[in-house]
Coordinates of all heavy atoms in Angstrom, one line a residue:
M153 N -61.8 -174.2 -46.6 CA -60.6 -173.5 -46.0 C -59.5 -173.8 -47.0 O -59.3 -174.9 -47.5 CB -60.3 -174.1 -44.7 CG -59.0 -173.6 -44.1 SD -58.8 -174.3 -42.4 CE -57.4 -173.3 -42.0
E170 N -33.5 -183.4 -54.2 CA -32.5 -184.2 -54.9 C -32.8 -185.6 -55.1 O -32.2 -186.3 -55.9 CB -31.1 -184.0 -54.3 CG -30.7 -182.6 -54.0 CD -30.7 -181.8 -55.3 OE1 -30.2 -182.3 -56.3 OE2 -31.1 -180.6 -55.2
S176 N -47.0 -194.6 -58.1 CA -47.8 -195.8 -58.5 C -49.3 -195.3 -58.6 O -49.7 -194.4 -57.9 CB -47.7 -197.0 -57.5 OG -48.2 -196.6 -56.3
R212 N -47.7 -181.3 -65.2 CA -47.1 -180.9 -66.5 C -45.8 -180.3 -66.2 O -45.5 -179.7 -65.1 CB -48.0 -179.8 -67.2 CG -48.0 -178.5 -66.6 CD -48.7 -177.4 -67.5 NE -48.4 -176.1 -67.0 CZ -49.2 -175.4 -66.2 NH1 -50.4 -175.9 -65.9 NH2 -48.9 -174.2 -65.8
D216 N -39.5 -174.0 -68.2 CA -38.3 -173.9 -67.4 C -37.9 -175.2 -66.7 O -37.0 -175.2 -65.9 CB -38.4 -172.7 -66.4 CG -39.4 -173.0 -65.3 OD1 -40.1 -174.1 -65.4 OD2 -39.5 -172.2 -64.4
Y244 N -54.3 -182.8 -45.0 CA -55.4 -183.6 -45.5 C -56.4 -182.6 -46.2 O -57.5 -182.4 -45.6 CB -56.1 -184.4 -44.4 CG -55.1 -185.3 -43.7 CD1 -54.4 -184.8 -42.5 CD2 -54.8 -186.6 -44.1 CE1 -53.5 -185.6 -41.9 CE2 -53.9 -187.4 -43.5 CZ -53.3 -186.9 -42.4 OH -52.4 -187.7 -41.7

Side-chain angles (χ1 to χ4, degrees):
M153 176 176 187
E170 305 304 317
S176 65
R212 77 167 190 262
D216 66 355
Y244 304 92

